[in-house]
Amino acid sequence: MTNLSVNINKIATLRNARGENLPDVVKFAIDCEKFGADGITVHPRPDQRHITYKDVKDLRKVVSTEYNIEGFPSKEFMDLVLEVKPDQVTLVPDLPRDLTSTQGWDTVKNQETLKKICTLLRENGIRSSIFVNPSSPMVVGAANAGADRVELYTKPYAEMYSQDREFAIAPYIEAATLARESGMGLNAGHDLNLENLGYFAEMIPWHDEVSIGHALISDALYYGIEDTIRRYKNELRLS
């Protein structure tokens, strides 16, 4: 079954609104694991508007499942992940001003840069994952850069799902198949939710991991975090 990694950025956003430690990000991560999460994802940004560099280090001490750190590979970010040594680093092409991820890497244009970073991560025992659009050239570019995995950017799928889910999933099946044939692992993330996750998992059951934050935390406001994690994992079991 595909693993569920819970992105806890939104918990840090809520905490930072008061400048105190409520909710406690570290405790929340521990509880997510206790309730069945297969991993914890964080995405520290340069302005530290949600997850801080201190959070990243504190979480390394307690996360017992898989620890995934997303981010743009600036010097500061790379210094952080090489110090913390998470299980996985997901490379995203976000600019500092971006509110959230809006596209994948151009793995052809940035081939040499990504290759150097993937090599550095591997030398430090860290799995690399490159965030890409569901495009064959971008998947091939990630493989040529030496990535261990690709993470497919799923916002276009989520936007089209209610209109024509077969059309929406088609490029993802093609990209996912190519990733598997290239020998890479496969992740996915962005705007996956309880409505569209089950079909995605059914059509591409060989995903290693989905990373979900905004929708999952929003659902937890209604269902509670334990029940929400159970619901998301049930959707993944449909595959």
Side-chain angles (χ1 to χ4, degrees), residues 119-135:
T119 298
L120 181 61
L121 291 172
R122 183 175 296 107
E123 289 172 348
N124 282 271
I126 303 169
R127 182 197 309 132
S128 60
S129 178
I130 298 180
F131 194 64
V132 297
N133 293 340
S135 159

Side-chain angles (χ1 to χ4, degrees), residues 48-113:
Q48 301 189 62
R49 62 181 180 267
H50 34 64
I51 288 292
T52 68
Y53 281 21
K54 181 179 184 300
D55 291 330
V56 171
K57 296 174 184 178
D58 290 344
L59 287 163
R60 173 72 286 183
K61 302 171 187 175
V62 301
V63 172
S64 60
T65 55
E66 178 169 291
Y67 192 23
N68 172 46
I69 303 178
E70 302 177 342
F72 180 81
S74 64
K75 182 183 184 304
E76 292 76 14
F77 177 83
M78 292 305 297
D79 287 346
L80 176 68
V81 298
L82 292 178
E83 175 186 350
V84 172
K85 288 187 168 54
D87 301 286
Q88 176 176 270
V89 166
T90 301
L91 304 170
V92 296
D94 289 0
L95 296 173
R97 65 176 180 272
D98 291 342
L99 288 176
T100 188
S101 303
T102 58
Q103 62 182 343
W105 282 96
D106 184 332
T107 58
V108 176
K109 181 179 178 180
N110 296 283
Q111 179 77 199
E112 291 307 311
T113 298

Side-chain angles (χ1 to χ4, degrees), residues 100-102 131 151-156 158 188-192 211-212:
T100 188
S101 303
T102 58
F131 194 64
E151 178 173 333
L152 299 181
Y153 173 52
T154 49
K155 183 176 180 64
H190 210 91
D191 287 359
L192 294 172
S211 173
I212 305 178

